[in-house]
Amino acid sequence: MAAKVTHRTTDPSQDKLDVLAVLVFENEKPSARPGLEGLLGNAAAVEKNGDFKGKAREQVLLYPQNGAKAERVLLAGLGKREKASLEAVRKAVGGIVTKAIAIKVKSVGIMLSGWQVESALDGAFVAAAAAEAAVLAGYKFERHKTSSAEGEESEDGVTRVAKKEAPDIAVSVYSSKKVRRAPAAVELAVLVSESANLARDIANEPANHGTPTRLAKAATDAGAQAGFKVTILERADAKKLGMGAFLSVAAGTEEPCKFIVMEYEPPEGTRGVAKRGAHVLVGKGITFDSGGISIKPADKMWEMKFDKSGGCAVIGIMHAVARAKLPLKVIGIVPATENLPSGTATKPGDVVAAMSGKTIEIQNTDAEGRLILADGLCYAARYEPVTVIDMATLTGACVVALGEVRAGVMGTDEQLLADLKACGDHTGERVWPLPLDDDYGEHIKSDAADIKNLGRAGHAGAISAGYFLKHFAPPKAKWAHLDIAGTAWVTDGGRGYVGKGATGFGVRLAFEYLKRKSGKGSPATKAQAKAK
Ligand code: BES
Ligand code: MN
Ligand code: ZN
C-alpha cells in the first residue's frame, strides 16, 4: 500500500475528488469560511447540533449537494488554535488518509489554501507536514499476506510472497499560490517520507527474510537507485580489520554477517560543498536479537526482528540524501548480524578487542548493540568526520525513561545535541538529551578488560550504554548517539500518522539535520517566511 502525494495551488473545489478534506481548528466554524460555499452540504446542521467541534482526531463526513465536484467532504479536527503545530497537522492528515483508505476511495484532496491553518503556521511547513503525513499514513507492510495478492515464490524458494501491488491512493495537497516555497517543500517532504517508508519496508521484514544479506541487498539497491557507492565487508574482511566486537556478536549464528558501508558524494560541480570532512551515520543492524547465551525471555522476543531499525534508518537516510543531491559528503555504516546462542557463540565473561584495540569484557551477550556499534564507530574514523551520529534500538532502559514519545540523545557536543533537538521538534521525530557525566563511566569499568559491556543493574542503563559508545567515537568528531528503542516500532494502534510496525524513526530527523547543515531550508520563523 502506498500513497502518491502531489502538490497543487489550484482551487480544490474545481477538482473531481472522492474526498475533499478540510482541516478545522476547535470551535472555528468551517461554514463561516469563504470558498467552501456549496461544498459543505449539511455542515451548518452539523455545527448547530454540535456533532463536530474540531477537536484533535475528530472527523465528520459530509455529502455535498448542488453539483459540487467533490463526492464527499471530510472535516478533520486540528485541536485548539493556540496549540497549533506541525505535529497537529500531521496527525489530522494521518487520520484523513487512514479514513480514506478504510472507505476504499482512490483520490483525496487536502485543503490548506487560503485557510486558517496557513495563517496560524508557516504555509510551506504546513504543506510539507501534510505531505509527509500522507506518505507515511499511506504505508502498510503487506508483503507476506497472500489473501489480497497472488502468491509468488520468494528468493529462498520456500515462502510464498505477495506479488500484486496493493492499490494506491492519490493525495493532493492544496495550498495557496502566495505560499511560494510550498511546492519545493512538498517535493522534499515526499522524497524524505518515501525514504522513511523504504526504511520501514526493510525493518518490517521478519528475521527469516530480513537477514544481514537482505539488508546488504537493500543498501545496494538503494545505492543503485539513488546514486551512492555501496561496499559490503564480509566476515573475513571484518576479521582482517580487527573487528573483534562485531564478530563476537556474529559468532553464534550461521547466517552470514555483513558490514555495510555506503558512501555518498555530491555530483561534480555542486556548489557550496565543504572540501573536507564527512557526516557519518552509524546504524545498529541486529536482524534478530535473541540475547545470545544471555538469552531473553520468550515473551515479546519476536519484537526483536525490529532490532535492525537503526541500520534500516541509515539506509533510508542515504537514499534520501542522494536523491535530494545534498551538497555534503555523507557516509552510512551498518554492521549487520543476528545475535543467537549456539556452541560457537560468545560466552559471558569472554574478552574481545574492538578495531581500535580497546578490550571489552562481555558480561552479558544481550548487550550486543553497543558491541557492533563500537566497531562501526571505529570504522567511521577513516572518513575524518565532522559529525558522527549513531542510531540504535539500544536499551530497554531508554524505553523506561522516555517511552514511545521521544528518543534519547547523548553526545559530546552541546551544539549538535541542540541542533538534533530542534530538528526533532520540527519533524515530530522528537528527542530528549540524557547526560554523559564521566561518573557514569565508573559503571562500565572492568576487572578483566579495559571496559565491560554491562552497567549497574537498574542504574541509568541508557546512559551507561551511551558512555560505552563514547569510548569508540572518533575523538575529533562531534558525536551523538540516538537511542531509538522506544520509537522505532509500534505494536499498539499506531501513532496518528504512522501505523503498526516499523516507524522509520530517524530518517526524517537526520535528513532535516543534514539539510540544515547543507544550508538548504533552515527553519524560517513565520515573520521571516512572510518577508520573503
Ligand atoms: N535490543 C535490545 C534493547 C531493546 C529492548 C530495545 C526492548 C527495544 C525494546 C538490546 O540489545 C538489549 O537487549 N539491551 C539490554 C541491555 C542489558 C543487557 C544491559 C536491555 O536493555 O535489557
Ligand atoms: Mn540485546
Ligand atoms: Zn539488541
mmCIF file of all heavy atoms in Angstrom, residues 345-377:
data_model
loop_
_atom_site.group_PDB
_atom_site.id
_atom_site.type_symbol
_atom_site.label_atom_id
_atom_site.label_comp_id
_atom_site.label_asym_id
_atom_site.label_seq_id
_atom_site.Cartn_x
_atom_site.Cartn_y
_atom_site.Cartn_z
ATOM 1 N N ALA A 345 28.868 -19.598 20.059
ATOM 2 C CA ALA A 345 28.527 -18.231 20.489
ATOM 3 C C ALA A 345 29.470 -17.712 21.573
ATOM 4 O O ALA A 345 30.094 -18.484 22.302
ATOM 5 C CB ALA A 345 27.091 -18.210 21.004
ATOM 6 N N THR A 346 29.541 -16.410 21.655
ATOM 7 C CA THR A 346 30.301 -15.741 22.714
ATOM 8 C C THR A 346 29.671 -16.042 24.077
ATOM 9 O O THR A 346 28.443 -16.128 24.192
ATOM 10 C CB THR A 346 30.289 -14.225 22.450
ATOM 11 O OG1 THR A 346 31.005 -13.996 21.230
ATOM 12 C CG2 THR A 346 30.936 -13.451 23.568
ATOM 13 N N LYS A 347 30.529 -16.248 25.068
ATOM 14 C CA LYS A 347 30.051 -16.589 26.413
ATOM 15 C C LYS A 347 30.229 -15.402 27.355
ATOM 16 O O LYS A 347 31.195 -14.649 27.221
ATOM 17 C CB LYS A 347 30.847 -17.778 26.945
ATOM 18 C CG LYS A 347 30.752 -18.999 26.058
ATOM 19 C CD LYS A 347 31.843 -20.024 26.330
ATOM 20 C CE LYS A 347 33.231 -19.597 25.874
ATOM 21 N NZ LYS A 347 33.368 -19.406 24.412
ATOM 22 N N PRO A 348 29.322 -15.223 28.308
ATOM 23 C CA PRO A 348 29.502 -14.161 29.297
ATOM 24 C C PRO A 348 30.861 -14.310 29.979
ATOM 25 O O PRO A 348 31.241 -15.418 30.374
ATOM 26 C CB PRO A 348 28.352 -14.393 30.274
ATOM 27 C CG PRO A 348 27.299 -15.065 29.439
ATOM 28 C CD PRO A 348 28.053 -15.938 28.481
ATOM 29 N N GLY A 349 31.593 -13.230 30.063
ATOM 30 C CA GLY A 349 32.933 -13.271 30.639
ATOM 31 C C GLY A 349 34.023 -13.225 29.582
ATOM 32 O O GLY A 349 35.179 -12.902 29.893
ATOM 33 N N ASP A 350 33.685 -13.551 28.341
ATOM 34 C CA ASP A 350 34.678 -13.506 27.261
ATOM 35 C C ASP A 350 35.232 -12.089 27.098
ATOM 36 O O ASP A 350 34.523 -11.106 27.330
ATOM 37 C CB ASP A 350 34.052 -13.939 25.924
ATOM 38 C CG ASP A 350 33.839 -15.447 25.839
ATOM 39 O OD1 ASP A 350 34.162 -16.142 26.828
ATOM 40 O OD2 ASP A 350 33.332 -15.925 24.804
ATOM 41 N N VAL A 351 36.467 -12.009 26.664
ATOM 42 C CA VAL A 351 37.091 -10.710 26.402
ATOM 43 C C VAL A 351 37.457 -10.622 24.922
ATOM 44 O O VAL A 351 38.030 -11.564 24.367
ATOM 45 C CB VAL A 351 38.356 -10.496 27.268
ATOM 46 C CG1 VAL A 351 39.076 -9.205 26.874
ATOM 47 C CG2 VAL A 351 37.984 -10.447 28.753
ATOM 48 N N VAL A 352 37.075 -9.514 24.296
ATOM 49 C CA VAL A 352 37.390 -9.312 22.875
ATOM 50 C C VAL A 352 38.001 -7.923 22.700
ATOM 51 O O VAL A 352 37.894 -7.077 23.589
ATOM 52 C CB VAL A 352 36.126 -9.432 21.982
ATOM 53 C CG1 VAL A 352 35.534 -10.825 22.086
ATOM 54 C CG2 VAL A 352 35.086 -8.370 22.344
ATOM 55 N N ALA A 353 38.616 -7.704 21.535
ATOM 56 C CA ALA A 353 39.186 -6.379 21.238
ATOM 57 C C ALA A 353 38.451 -5.777 20.047
ATOM 58 O O ALA A 353 38.224 -6.448 19.039
ATOM 59 C CB ALA A 353 40.671 -6.502 20.928
ATOM 60 N N ALA A 354 38.061 -4.523 20.175
ATOM 61 C CA ALA A 354 37.456 -3.807 19.051
ATOM 62 C C ALA A 354 38.558 -3.384 18.079
ATOM 63 O O ALA A 354 39.747 -3.548 18.357
ATOM 64 C CB ALA A 354 36.689 -2.586 19.549
ATOM 65 N N MET A 355 38.128 -2.836 16.935
ATOM 66 C CA MET A 355 39.050 -2.414 15.882
ATOM 67 C C MET A 355 40.110 -1.426 16.389
ATOM 68 O O MET A 355 41.242 -1.411 15.905
ATOM 69 C CB MET A 355 38.205 -1.748 14.799
ATOM 70 C CG MET A 355 38.824 -1.732 13.450
ATOM 71 S SD MET A 355 37.631 -0.911 12.346
ATOM 72 C CE MET A 355 38.767 -0.376 11.098
ATOM 73 N N SER A 356 39.765 -0.620 17.374
ATOM 74 C CA SER A 356 40.710 0.371 17.904
ATOM 75 C C SER A 356 41.729 -0.267 18.831
ATOM 76 O O SER A 356 42.690 0.387 19.237
ATOM 77 C CB SER A 356 39.935 1.445 18.681
ATOM 78 O OG SER A 356 39.255 0.850 19.770
ATOM 79 N N GLY A 357 41.514 -1.529 19.188
ATOM 80 C CA GLY A 357 42.422 -2.214 20.096
ATOM 81 C C GLY A 357 41.892 -2.245 21.521
ATOM 82 O O GLY A 357 42.378 -3.010 22.354
ATOM 83 N N LYS A 358 40.940 -1.397 21.824
ATOM 84 C CA LYS A 358 40.370 -1.380 23.184
ATOM 85 C C LYS A 358 39.709 -2.718 23.480
ATOM 86 O O LYS A 358 38.999 -3.269 22.630
ATOM 87 C CB LYS A 358 39.352 -0.235 23.296
ATOM 88 C CG LYS A 358 39.064 0.169 24.724
ATOM 89 C CD LYS A 358 38.341 1.515 24.828
ATOM 90 C CE LYS A 358 39.315 2.674 24.853
ATOM 91 N NZ LYS A 358 38.670 3.963 25.178
ATOM 92 N N THR A 359 39.978 -3.247 24.687
ATOM 93 C CA THR A 359 39.424 -4.565 25.019
ATOM 94 C C THR A 359 38.126 -4.441 25.819
ATOM 95 O O THR A 359 37.947 -3.510 26.595
ATOM 96 C CB THR A 359 40.439 -5.412 25.814
ATOM 97 O OG1 THR A 359 40.817 -4.688 26.989
ATOM 98 C CG2 THR A 359 41.668 -5.717 24.971
ATOM 99 N N ILE A 360 37.239 -5.399 25.588
ATOM 100 C CA ILE A 360 35.904 -5.387 26.186
ATOM 101 C C ILE A 360 35.621 -6.726 26.846
ATOM 102 O O ILE A 360 35.766 -7.789 26.220
ATOM 103 C CB ILE A 360 34.823 -5.141 25.096
ATOM 104 C CG1 ILE A 360 35.112 -3.871 24.303
ATOM 105 C CG2 ILE A 360 33.427 -5.087 25.731
ATOM 106 C CD1 ILE A 360 34.359 -3.795 22.967
ATOM 107 N N GLU A 361 35.206 -6.664 28.101
ATOM 108 C CA GLU A 361 34.716 -7.865 28.767
ATOM 109 C C GLU A 361 33.213 -7.935 28.520
ATOM 110 O O GLU A 361 32.473 -7.007 28.838
ATOM 111 C CB GLU A 361 34.987 -7.790 30.272
ATOM 112 C CG GLU A 361 34.488 -9.025 31.017
ATOM 113 C CD GLU A 361 34.502 -8.869 32.542
ATOM 114 O OE1 GLU A 361 34.903 -7.795 33.036
ATOM 115 O OE2 GLU A 361 34.078 -9.829 33.230
ATOM 116 N N ILE A 362 32.774 -9.037 27.901
ATOM 117 C CA ILE A 362 31.357 -9.193 27.582
ATOM 118 C C ILE A 362 30.666 -9.893 28.744
ATOM 119 O O ILE A 362 30.694 -11.112 28.859
ATOM 120 C CB ILE A 362 31.172 -9.967 26.255
ATOM 121 C CG1 ILE A 362 31.858 -9.204 25.114
ATOM 122 C CG2 ILE A 362 29.680 -10.170 25.949
ATOM 123 C CD1 ILE A 362 31.896 -9.951 23.805
ATOM 124 N N GLN A 363 30.062 -9.127 29.629
ATOM 125 C CA GLN A 363 29.407 -9.747 30.797
ATOM 126 C C GLN A 363 27.990 -10.195 30.475
ATOM 127 O O GLN A 363 27.437 -11.025 31.188
ATOM 128 C CB GLN A 363 29.415 -8.771 31.975
ATOM 129 C CG GLN A 363 30.791 -8.678 32.637
ATOM 130 C CD GLN A 363 30.723 -8.074 34.028
ATOM 131 O OE1 GLN A 363 29.730 -7.449 34.400
ATOM 132 N NE2 GLN A 363 31.792 -8.246 34.793
ATOM 133 N N ASN A 364 27.427 -9.616 29.422
ATOM 134 C CA ASN A 364 26.057 -10.000 29.033
ATOM 135 C C ASN A 364 25.982 -9.966 27.508
ATOM 136 O O ASN A 364 26.168 -8.908 26.902
ATOM 137 C CB ASN A 364 25.057 -9.034 29.671
ATOM 138 C CG ASN A 364 23.620 -9.506 29.494
ATOM 139 O OD1 ASN A 364 23.241 -9.976 28.420
ATOM 140 N ND2 ASN A 364 22.822 -9.390 30.538
ATOM 141 N N THR A 365 25.715 -11.121 26.920
ATOM 142 C CA THR A 365 25.715 -11.165 25.444
ATOM 143 C C THR A 365 24.487 -10.474 24.855
ATOM 144 O O THR A 365 24.393 -10.282 23.646
ATOM 145 C CB THR A 365 25.768 -12.620 24.923
ATOM 146 O OG1 THR A 365 24.596 -13.314 25.356
ATOM 147 C CG2 THR A 365 27.022 -13.337 25.413
ATOM 148 N N ASP A 366 23.540 -10.102 25.722
ATOM 149 C CA ASP A 366 22.359 -9.373 25.250
ATOM 150 C C ASP A 366 22.637 -7.869 25.095
ATOM 151 O O ASP A 366 21.837 -7.154 24.511
ATOM 152 C CB ASP A 366 21.182 -9.615 26.208
ATOM 153 C CG ASP A 366 19.845 -9.241 25.604
ATOM 154 O OD1 ASP A 366 19.797 -9.007 24.365
ATOM 155 O OD2 ASP A 366 18.851 -9.186 26.337
ATOM 156 N N ALA A 367 23.759 -7.417 25.618
ATOM 157 C CA ALA A 367 24.142 -6.013 25.387
ATOM 158 C C ALA A 367 25.040 -5.984 24.150
ATOM 159 O O ALA A 367 26.210 -5.606 24.194
ATOM 160 C CB ALA A 367 24.851 -5.445 26.605
ATOM 161 N N GLU A 368 24.455 -6.452 23.018
ATOM 162 C CA GLU A 368 25.230 -6.674 21.789
ATOM 163 C C GLU A 368 25.258 -5.455 20.872
ATOM 164 O O GLU A 368 26.166 -5.315 20.066
ATOM 165 C CB GLU A 368 24.654 -7.884 21.034
ATOM 166 C CG GLU A 368 23.452 -7.591 20.118
ATOM 167 C CD GLU A 368 22.221 -7.065 20.826
ATOM 168 O OE1 GLU A 368 22.102 -7.255 22.044
ATOM 169 O OE2 GLU A 368 21.380 -6.437 20.159
ATOM 170 N N GLY A 369 24.262 -4.597 21.008
ATOM 171 C CA GLY A 369 24.192 -3.452 20.102
ATOM 172 C C GLY A 369 25.422 -2.572 20.234
ATOM 173 O O GLY A 369 26.040 -2.163 19.240
ATOM 174 N N ARG A 370 25.817 -2.313 21.482
ATOM 175 C CA ARG A 370 26.989 -1.453 21.718
ATOM 176 C C ARG A 370 28.254 -2.087 21.162
ATOM 177 O O ARG A 370 29.197 -1.385 20.805
ATOM 178 C CB ARG A 370 27.092 -1.126 23.215
ATOM 179 C CG ARG A 370 27.331 -2.308 24.102
ATOM 180 C CD ARG A 370 27.023 -2.016 25.568
ATOM 181 N NE ARG A 370 25.587 -2.039 25.845
ATOM 182 C CZ ARG A 370 25.044 -1.781 27.032
ATOM 183 N NH1 ARG A 370 25.819 -1.461 28.050
ATOM 184 N NH2 ARG A 370 23.745 -1.837 27.202
ATOM 185 N N LEU A 371 28.271 -3.438 21.101
ATOM 186 C CA LEU A 371 29.473 -4.124 20.587
ATOM 187 C C LEU A 371 29.624 -3.910 19.079
ATOM 188 O O LEU A 371 30.697 -3.567 18.594
ATOM 189 C CB LEU A 371 29.395 -5.625 20.906
ATOM 190 C CG LEU A 371 29.427 -5.982 22.399
ATOM 191 C CD1 LEU A 371 29.134 -7.466 22.605
ATOM 192 C CD2 LEU A 371 30.781 -5.613 23.013
ATOM 193 N N ILE A 372 28.532 -4.092 18.355
ATOM 194 C CA ILE A 372 28.651 -3.921 16.896
ATOM 195 C C ILE A 372 28.831 -2.434 16.544
ATOM 196 O O ILE A 372 29.534 -2.093 15.600
ATOM 197 C CB ILE A 372 27.471 -4.547 16.118
ATOM 198 C CG1 ILE A 372 26.166 -3.803 16.345
ATOM 199 C CG2 ILE A 372 27.307 -6.026 16.465
ATOM 200 C CD1 ILE A 372 25.082 -4.194 15.348
ATOM 201 N N LEU A 373 28.215 -1.548 17.341
ATOM 202 C CA LEU A 373 28.379 -0.113 17.085
ATOM 203 C C LEU A 373 29.807 0.341 17.388
ATOM 204 O O LEU A 373 30.318 1.265 16.760
ATOM 205 C CB LEU A 373 27.389 0.697 17.918
ATOM 206 C CG LEU A 373 25.920 0.588 17.496
ATOM 207 C CD1 LEU A 373 25.033 1.309 18.511
ATOM 208 C CD2 LEU A 373 25.680 1.177 16.109
ATOM 209 N N ALA A 374 30.456 -0.313 18.373
ATOM 210 C CA ALA A 374 31.834 0.038 18.708
ATOM 211 C C ALA A 374 32.695 -0.053 17.443
ATOM 212 O O ALA A 374 33.424 0.894 17.099
ATOM 213 C CB ALA A 374 32.370 -0.882 19.795
ATOM 214 N N ASP A 375 32.583 -1.169 16.731
ATOM 215 C CA ASP A 375 33.385 -1.305 15.511
ATOM 216 C C ASP A 375 32.874 -0.398 14.396
ATOM 217 O O ASP A 375 33.656 0.092 13.580
ATOM 218 C CB ASP A 375 33.435 -2.774 15.066
ATOM 219 C CG ASP A 375 34.479 -3.558 15.866
ATOM 220 O OD1 ASP A 375 35.506 -2.954 16.248
ATOM 221 O OD2 ASP A 375 34.262 -4.767 16.112
ATOM 222 N N GLY A 376 31.571 -0.163 14.372
ATOM 223 C CA GLY A 376 31.029 0.799 13.402
ATOM 224 C C GLY A 376 31.612 2.193 13.622
ATOM 225 O O GLY A 376 31.991 2.889 12.668
ATOM 226 N N LEU A 377 31.711 2.594 14.870
ATOM 227 C CA LEU A 377 32.261 3.922 15.199
ATOM 228 C C LEU A 377 33.759 3.985 14.909
ATOM 229 O O LEU A 377 34.268 4.992 14.409
ATOM 230 C CB LEU A 377 31.978 4.258 16.665
ATOM 231 C CG LEU A 377 30.500 4.532 17.000
ATOM 232 C CD1 LEU A 377 30.264 4.507 18.509
ATOM 233 C CD2 LEU A 377 30.036 5.866 16.411
#
